[in-house]
Amino acid sequence: MFIISDNFNELRKYISLWKQKKYRVGFIPTMGNLHSGHLRLIEQIKKRDVDKTIVSIFVNPRQFGPNEDYTNYPRTLEDDIKKLRDLDVDLLFCPDKDLMYPIQNAGELKIDNKILMNDLCGSNRVGHFNGVLLVVNKLFNLLQPNIVIFGQKDYQQYLIIKNMVENLFMPIELILSPIIREIDGLAMSSRNKYLNKNEREKAPKLNKSLITIKDKILQHPDKFHSILENQISELEKDGFFIDYFELRHKNNLSIVENFNYENKKYILLIAAKIGNTRLIDNIIL
Ligand code: PAF
């Protein structure tokens, strides 16, 4: 049976029934407009030790800045429902804004990991990660999942949520799933829809740059600063506006002073705009 719920009473009824039966619940939080990347996450979680799979679709206003695309963010609920039904998801939770945020400006718990949250994507998208943590916290409390899966494309988001789960002793296992890409290497994202033909043709250069730079850094570790600077100039000549392109420590995204390669200790991250569309991508070294 596929349950679609947009209210707490019904949702809580199912969750408490499943808890009584000691079912393990797998959860994938999304903002909808489901693409193959999301569907692969669902397939992956279903292969884990779970009895029930929940997906949420909620375009969370709190994680969008005033000049961002909250209003235009693609909303395709009917299509999404069909895809979830085909994948045998047990429950879709698709609340509206007033249910998730009933009282404007009510005192809200703020979990602030200043270094992680104000850096990289957080420095350009002020308040973004607070909005993410707020909604993820609410969803975790409501749905009480045992396992939650996040995509590596939003690696900083994953680390921030992991940090929250550990610090608040939430009994939840988090899984990081590899980036799902189009055939030409572009990381799948709902925002790819905003790209016009010309931008779409250029977009895979971000992934190609990550691969090239990874190889170059591994060959010339002492030159990683200049390698990155050169690649940023190349991308800018191609019409990209680079928000950041950085080599960071993988465990906490701290700045790398000296590169000393040990397997999978580093990550290269990029955020760039093509036209009006901001894309992110990364690769683990
Ligand atoms: O990654 C996303 O789609 C969102 O940030 C999330 C985790 C669903 C919270 O709104």
Side-chain angles (χ1 to χ4, degrees), residues 29-31 38 56 58 60 63 73 128 131-132 135-136 139 150 154 157 161:
T30 81
M31 298 207 296
H38 294 112
S56 66
F58 178 63
N60 173 31
Q63 68 188 79
Y73 196 84
H128 166 69
V132 171
V135 82
V136 168
L139 290 167
F150 289 97
D154 297 290
Q157 165 174 282
I161 294 170

Side-chain angles (χ1 to χ4, degrees), residues 247-261:
L247 178 72
R248 293 292 180 104
H249 288 287
K250 185 175 150 262
N251 60 342
N252 57 8
L253 294 183
S254 60
I255 290 173
V256 177
E257 305 289 352
N258 298 306
F259 183 83
N260 174 11
Y261 186 64

Side-chain angles (χ1 to χ4, degrees), residues 98-234:
D98 296 339
L99 192 77
M100 292 303 278
Y101 298 109
I103 307 162
Q104 279 295 340
N105 298 324
E108 278 164 0
L109 179 66
K110 203 167 168 191
I111 304 142
D112 226 347
N113 178 332
K114 289 213 164 36
I115 298 173
L116 261 184
M117 288 173 68
N118 298 335
D119 200 3
L120 299 170
C121 281
S123 70
N124 250 14
R125 304 188 68 191
V126 177
H128 166 69
F129 287 119
N130 279 314
V132 171
L133 281 189
L134 182 62
V135 82
V136 168
N137 210 338
K138 286 180 185 236
L139 290 167
F140 284 1
N141 284 333
L142 280 167
L143 304 170
Q144 299 173 43
N146 301 88
I147 304 186
V148 183
I149 192 158
F150 289 97
Q152 187 192 310
K153 182 172 75 66
D154 297 290
Y155 186 75
Q156 187 176 9
Q157 165 174 282
Y158 160 76
L159 269 195
I160 288 171
I161 294 170
K162 181 167 171 279
N163 193 274
M164 171 182 82
V165 164
E166 286 169 3
N167 278 294
L168 299 186
F169 311 129
M170 293 176 167
I172 298 174
E173 182 189 345
L174 293 189
I175 298 165
L176 183 67
S177 167
I179 300 178
I180 315 288
R181 299 184 179 280
E182 304 287 354
I183 294 168
D184 58 12
L186 176 65
M188 285 192 187
S189 161
S190 300
R191 291 196 166 97
N192 294 349
K193 287 216 167 123
Y194 301 151
L195 300 169
N196 65 29
K197 189 165 171 289
N198 182 27
E199 293 164 350
R200 176 63 189 80
E201 275 165 17
K202 275 189 186 171
K205 286 197 178 157
L206 294 186
N207 177 238
K208 290 201 178 80
S209 291
L210 286 168
I211 296 169
T212 313
I213 294 305
K214 173 178 172 173
D215 291 347
K216 284 192 183 166
I217 291 179
L218 291 180
Q219 280 165 27
H220 306 283
D222 50 323
K223 298 201 176 112
F224 79 86
H225 283 296
S226 58
I227 293 172
L228 278 167
E229 274 164 25
N230 290 341
Q231 191 65 21
I232 290 174
S233 311
E234 289 298 312

